[in-house]
Amino acid sequence: MSYVAGKELRIVGFLCNWCSYGGADTAGVGRFKQPTDLRIIRVPCSGRVNPLFVIKALLNGADGVLVSGCHPRDCHYSDGNFYARRRLEMLKRLLPFLGIDDRRFHYTWVSASEGARWKNVVTDFTKAIHELGPFHQKEEKTE
Amino acid sequence: MTVEKLKEAVRKILPEVDVVIGYRQGFDPLHATPFFMTKPEQVDQLIWNPLCVQNLCSYLPFLKGKVGVIVKGCDSRAIVQYMQEKLIARENVKVIGVPCLRVISVKKVLAAINQQSVQEVTFEGENILVKTPEGQKTIPLADVAPRKCATCQLATPLQYDLLAGDAIQSNKPQDTFEETKEFEKLPLKERRAYWEKEFDRCIRCYACRNACPMCICQDKCIAESRDPHWTSQRANVTEKSMFHMIHGLHLAGRCISCEECERVCPMDIPVAKIKKKISMDLKELFNYEAGMNPDDTPPLYTFKIEEATIKEHEL
Amino acid sequence: MAEKEYIYFPGCSLEASAIEYDMSVRKVLTSLGVKLIEPDDWSCCGSTPAHSVDHVFAAAVAARNLAIVEKMGASTVITACPACLSAFKKAHLRMKKEESFKKEVNAILDEPYNCGVTAKSVLQILLEDIGPKAVAEKVTTDLPDLKVAPYYGCIINRPPEIMEFDDPENPLAMDKLMGAVGVNVCDFAFKVECCGAAFGVAKRKMVNELSSKVLTMVLDAGANCLVVTCQLCQQNLDLRQGQINSTMGSSFNIPVLFFTQVMGLTYGYSPQELGIDKHNVNAESLIKSRRPVEERIKEEQEKAKAKKPKAKKAEEEES
Amino acid sequence: MRVGVFICHCGNNIAGTVDVAKVAEAARMMPGVAFATTYMYTCSEPGQEEIKEAIKREKLDRVVVAACSPRMHELTFRRTVEKAGLNRYFFEMANIREHCSWIGEDKELNTNKAIEAIKLAVEKAKQNKSLVASRFKINKRVLVIGGGVAGMQAALDCADGGLDVVLVEKSPSVGGMMARLDKTFPTVDCSICILGPKMVDVSQHEKINLYAYSEIEEIKGYVGNYQIKIRKKATYVDWSKCTGCGACIEKCPSRNAYDSFNFGVAPARAINIPFPQAIPKKAKIDAQFCRQFIKGKCGVCAKFCPVGAINYEMKDEIVTEDVGAIIVASGYGLIDLDKLPEYGGGRYPDVISGIQYERILNASGPTSGHIERPSDHTEPKTIVFVSCAGSRDKSIGIPYCSNFCCMYIAKQTILTKDHIPDSQSYVFYMDIRAPGKGYDEFTRRAQEEYGAKYIRGRVSRIYPKGKKMVVKGADTLLGTTVEIEADLVVLATAVTATPDARMLAEKLHISYDQNGFYVESHPKLRPVETNTSGVFLAGACQGPKDIPASVGQGSAAAAKVLSIFSKDTLESDPQIARVNTNVCVGCRKCIGTCPFGAIEEQQLRDGRIVANVIETVCAGCGICNSTCPCGAIQLQHFTDNQLLAEVNALCLT
């Protein structure tokens, strides 16, 4: 039980409940067709996303990780995405140092009304990950 | 500065505090070890030479009462960082500053003498003289100094209540992160392979964490806890990498570049390298250096509504 | 003594049918201490007919000239012709924005263009680099009978995202310059209205109607002369007046001058030096009354003196 | 642990592109899953019954429903499991509709994605802890922001329902846009005649405390307990003394103040009362036009005021009010003419906006209701109305319809004909939008009875020709261009959000769309709620709206407030941060990053300093959780372990 090999790659998305999760819902309600690779984890706020979750996902098998929150100034909790922006920017710069292509991680802002934008984000990010190919070629070494 | 001046300073401070932390000789003449002085007669054993490498500030957040501590320039950034993070009450700490141009790396000395046992160590001018069963070897101090001393800007501590000796200026070039930038030029694949190889050697002894003055969680570290359960005890490279990422990210914007983590690593894993990369990025992004100004806020614990240096990423 | 230097691209019409535009530009800029350097071996700007047939080729023709300027070590090229300006700007912007287009264009060229040159109009540098203050300082002559309606035409500042200068609906650059040299400027509603020149051959009736409207509005605005920045506007509105009068039953006799010609007159050049005598509609009746600017100043001072007591009284009343 | 999984077909919405039977089969194989089934409509009553029965029959202790978005039905199912005796936080939802069946085209991939979504939810559910809400007292007072017709209606309904109302109005009088209108469509009854009594009611209602000429400075707190700081702007007139006699206005020598009530149709005095029916009818000084403030000497109004109310030293004052809920009715704005350069951009005095024309038509307006051209005060005979002046125009960033212009233009043509029988009105329109009751009939009357000529097409340019304005446009029905020489041109300028709408939204923590209008909780089913509980919307701040719709929303918002205030206590959301004091090292990083000031230091008996979360203040964002290095502070229901379980479910294969 995993992603459908050959057709999909493993993409994990952390979406804030108020804006981006709603934006993804809006895209669904509007029937905006999207690639199926993305799996969504709902969090209250992008400020809840510890960069370590992203690393954990990448180290453990994800081929791409997407974090999406409310647009700056629109945070339901007023400041959460401001903290997220700093932390995730640091992470984005750190990843290539560890040998992880920084295109495998993307963070962005999508509001609850931006269904079309959400579709584009998912489509483009999925496309980018497919261009990069699988991150985990070989089975992980066991103990 | 002579050790006598330092002893004088310690004697002066001792009546005001519960303990003064300094150095004394360790198990052999090449090793200095932290020394907790509570009585005046102990002060005679105090030593001061380039072997006094440990950052003694690391004890401060865990000690109650009034504490005196001997602090080099590089160590003093820990005091500043503690002040930023309100981890110490500055008025409860008596800082005895010592001017210092460089310490030496014991590992480098041992390499230079072929890992032989050491009988005697003396210092003459800019040289260290090491006597071993094979005879005496004279090594220039500059050859065995740790990496951090080459770009040290703090010959005199940033914070002190008493300075043992005269304030001196650093004569070193500024750190331009050359090593970091060189590493970034390697192909992505090689970088990934590099870290997999390095982290795979980790024995998860947590010495790096224990020596780190900013690792304030210590036995509450999430690398060992079940709630939250960030890492398992499985000995694979994924879990080992995860531990190092936790260590690195918890120090983001807080690492004072003392490189104690790397000094104490028994496996010689370049663990400071990641922290240095993050420090470089945060300096570029937020013009921030940890442990320099007590009034700063670490950059990841604050924000600006408009971030001039952070561009939105296109897909 | 030249205070400023510019690479100046004359373009084809300023060497031929609109040579008087070139003459007046050179005179005015020389007076303002500007040295103009003409690039060696400049060629067609690509505005016509290439741009309606092949965008890559048209851009290449423009970029060839820009590459020459770039090689001269300059970052700016100026031109008086709005069509050249538009061709340069369009080619430059698209090459800068689209890497693939840039490659395509540069593949045709011997010397590649690296997008390092900004094209500006003579109008723009007069207003922005030299400034109304410096422009005003050189005035020696007053033109009391001239009442100008500035007509900007269609492309000097449109489309705004390409031309990046002045307000596309209500441009004011010429109004400001004309004001600076002390000429009477009328508020003209048809500043950017189409004169129809582009259909000059194909749809003569329509052009006559459109141009006639522009000319009517000139008179409605209380002006007696059009000032323009485009040689095609000039040619169309000047040469066609007879045709318009005969087909529309009007009797227009409105001189159409380049704004540089009007500036040249205020700087003391003769109509012949500025090529005003080359135009179809004779401007002589409007400019023969020109006189040293000091006379006007004197006249104004006297008027002000006569007015003052009244004005003071009115002010007192108000308070 | 015994997890039950309920997979919804949602008719064909899910089952059409997801093989639900296969999904259920896969779910049964998941570790911890004791039961899995599918149902046609899980949210239906029998669907919920089945969950309740299964919980009892299968002894389930965790429930996962795979259906639509949790933003839709999470609450529904939480109640269901609670009724069956489970803690409501033992429920998890997998979104296999909006995030799966509706967006993916390949059934195999969708099915697999649905299985994974369930796996994720099952893994999280297994980590879920029982959470219990505590109850807290609520302050049964309500703040209404904006004293237009929507805000007044909301304030009156709340007050009649027995609540204390704090009404804050930015301008010196209540009434809003409606107070400026002459007549209203489609009844053509006098606007102020029907609004005036409401305004008086507002001022006289003992339950309503009106702050006119005041703005919201700061909002703190949460539903049930908000602390509001209100800035009472300096009027330089002591309103406790001012009788509204107008002596000061008559004598004021600064006659060129901008009259914002009349949208600049005529100048006002620097000291003024916006209109005769103003509530409160008190004078205020516009300092930027007042001689006393500009030149430092004048004092005329102070000299003539019979009650000595003028006070040039007056400063803004901040007052604090505590309330339990907020109704936002902050209204709308209109674009400036300078956004429309092709129509003169405001350079031509005889090209005016619809609201300015409204003031010209109004008997209490600057022209006393005589229609005259602003340029020369002559009576216009040919009047051209341009609808969609900025609306439905992507190029200036206003892609939407302004809602009520079609109707007020029709009304204005009728009024014009009434005022000047020998006048001729022309209307350029894109489409006539008249969907309300009696609306279409009204626009037909304007054409058929009042002879307004409607031209379907846009106007490309307006320019002066002598004393006339030439309106040049297309007649798309005739397929030709037309030019009309008009005496007066009225532009139906686009409706926008108010200039400070975004700032207010940030203070309220509510969201706004790309146009600055506030976003409701659900476009159909929760039209006056916001995503911030305790904050409700009414009127045009949510989008352009006419009077009946605004009044309806005002009443609706009031009903929502009355319904939450019908209880004495509210349940607090237990999804908040909690500190494990055994683990907390007292580094205080959470305290510094909490946007709500919800974390404080606490000294334990052994002397250790640790963090402590103030339950009622914590909003549950989890910033502290991702800041805490040792994981001592955990956001309940979104703990590290819960999120890690989800990451592991997806990544560890």
PDB file of all heavy atoms in Angstrom, chain D residues 156-163 562:
ATOM      1  N   LEU D 156     -30.061  47.671  16.292  1.00  0.00           N
ATOM      2  CA  LEU D 156     -31.429  47.767  16.809  1.00  0.00           C
ATOM      3  C   LEU D 156     -31.983  46.383  17.155  1.00  0.00           C
ATOM      4  O   LEU D 156     -32.622  46.198  18.193  1.00  0.00           O
ATOM      5  CB  LEU D 156     -32.340  48.463  15.787  1.00  0.00           C
ATOM      6  CG  LEU D 156     -32.136  49.978  15.680  1.00  0.00           C
ATOM      7  CD1 LEU D 156     -32.853  50.538  14.463  1.00  0.00           C
ATOM      8  CD2 LEU D 156     -32.622  50.673  16.953  1.00  0.00           C
ATOM      9  N   ASP D 157     -31.731  45.404  16.285  1.00  0.00           N
ATOM     10  CA  ASP D 157     -32.247  44.060  16.560  1.00  0.00           C
ATOM     11  C   ASP D 157     -31.611  43.482  17.819  1.00  0.00           C
ATOM     12  O   ASP D 157     -32.283  42.851  18.634  1.00  0.00           O
ATOM     13  CB  ASP D 157     -31.990  43.135  15.366  1.00  0.00           C
ATOM     14  CG  ASP D 157     -32.949  43.428  14.214  1.00  0.00           C
ATOM     15  OD1 ASP D 157     -33.817  44.304  14.386  1.00  0.00           O
ATOM     16  OD2 ASP D 157     -32.820  42.793  13.149  1.00  0.00           O
ATOM     17  N   CYS D 158     -30.288  43.688  17.974  1.00  0.00           N
ATOM     18  CA  CYS D 158     -29.617  43.186  19.170  1.00  0.00           C
ATOM     19  C   CYS D 158     -30.177  43.885  20.410  1.00  0.00           C
ATOM     20  O   CYS D 158     -30.454  43.255  21.433  1.00  0.00           O
ATOM     21  CB  CYS D 158     -28.109  43.428  19.088  1.00  0.00           C
ATOM     22  SG  CYS D 158     -27.275  42.337  17.936  1.00  0.00           S
ATOM     23  N   ALA D 159     -30.328  45.203  20.311  1.00  0.00           N
ATOM     24  CA  ALA D 159     -30.790  45.980  21.458  1.00  0.00           C
ATOM     25  C   ALA D 159     -32.213  45.581  21.828  1.00  0.00           C
ATOM     26  O   ALA D 159     -32.544  45.417  22.999  1.00  0.00           O
ATOM     27  CB  ALA D 159     -30.710  47.472  21.149  1.00  0.00           C
ATOM     28  N   ASP D 160     -33.066  45.402  20.810  1.00  0.00           N
ATOM     29  CA  ASP D 160     -34.437  44.966  21.088  1.00  0.00           C
ATOM     30  C   ASP D 160     -34.450  43.574  21.705  1.00  0.00           C
ATOM     31  O   ASP D 160     -35.354  43.228  22.457  1.00  0.00           O
ATOM     32  CB  ASP D 160     -35.269  44.967  19.794  1.00  0.00           C
ATOM     33  CG  ASP D 160     -35.574  46.394  19.330  1.00  0.00           C
ATOM     34  OD1 ASP D 160     -35.404  47.327  20.152  1.00  0.00           O
ATOM     35  OD2 ASP D 160     -35.957  46.576  18.158  1.00  0.00           O
ATOM     36  N   GLY D 161     -33.427  42.789  21.392  1.00  0.00           N
ATOM     37  CA  GLY D 161     -33.309  41.462  21.981  1.00  0.00           C
ATOM     38  C   GLY D 161     -32.723  41.495  23.377  1.00  0.00           C
ATOM     39  O   GLY D 161     -32.451  40.438  23.956  1.00  0.00           O
ATOM     40  N   GLY D 162     -32.459  42.686  23.884  1.00  0.00           N
ATOM     41  CA  GLY D 162     -32.024  42.816  25.269  1.00  0.00           C
ATOM     42  C   GLY D 162     -30.531  42.919  25.467  1.00  0.00           C
ATOM     43  O   GLY D 162     -30.040  42.894  26.587  1.00  0.00           O
ATOM     44  N   LEU D 163     -29.766  43.027  24.372  1.00  0.00           N
ATOM     45  CA  LEU D 163     -28.317  43.104  24.535  1.00  0.00           C
ATOM     46  C   LEU D 163     -27.860  44.550  24.626  1.00  0.00           C
ATOM     47  O   LEU D 163     -28.449  45.441  24.006  1.00  0.00           O
ATOM     48  CB  LEU D 163     -27.624  42.453  23.337  1.00  0.00           C
ATOM     49  CG  LEU D 163     -27.977  41.001  23.030  1.00  0.00           C
ATOM     50  CD1 LEU D 163     -27.174  40.536  21.821  1.00  0.00           C
ATOM     51  CD2 LEU D 163     -27.661  40.116  24.232  1.00  0.00           C
ATOM     52  N   LEU D 562     -27.604  36.891  18.977  1.00  0.00           N
ATOM     53  CA  LEU D 562     -28.597  36.555  20.007  1.00  0.00           C
ATOM     54  C   LEU D 562     -28.589  35.063  20.283  1.00  0.00           C
ATOM     55  O   LEU D 562     -28.768  34.633  21.419  1.00  0.00           O
ATOM     56  CB  LEU D 562     -29.988  37.012  19.547  1.00  0.00           C
ATOM     57  CG  LEU D 562     -30.200  38.521  19.646  1.00  0.00           C
ATOM     58  CD1 LEU D 562     -31.391  38.961  18.822  1.00  0.00           C
ATOM     59  CD2 LEU D 562     -30.368  38.940  21.109  1.00  0.00           C
TER      60      LEU D 562
END
